[in-house]
Amino acid sequence: MGAADKAENTAGKLKGQAKETAGKATGNKRLQAEGKADQAKGDVKQAGEHAKDAMKH
């Protein structure tokens, strides 16, 4: 996994956590859902990068 990819995936997860927290604080269910989706997307991308690395070895 490249450092840039890892940083991008982590940033996406952090952005999602921030959205989810803001949604909880304001009672905004849509924002909470977007945050969870962003986190899931970051997890999937990170898993894909790990799979690519495993194939190389």
Side-chain angles (χ1 to χ4, degrees), residues 1 49-57:
M1 178 182 335
E49 290 296 326
H50 285 295
K52 285 183 197 176
D53 285 346
M55 297 287 281
K56 290 180 184 177
H57 298 285

Side-chain angles (χ1 to χ4, degrees), residues 21-36:
T21 301
K24 285 180 183 177
T26 61
N28 187 330
K29 301 265 185 212
R30 184 182 60 82
L31 193 57
Q32 275 182 274
E34 283 180 19
K36 286 182 181 184

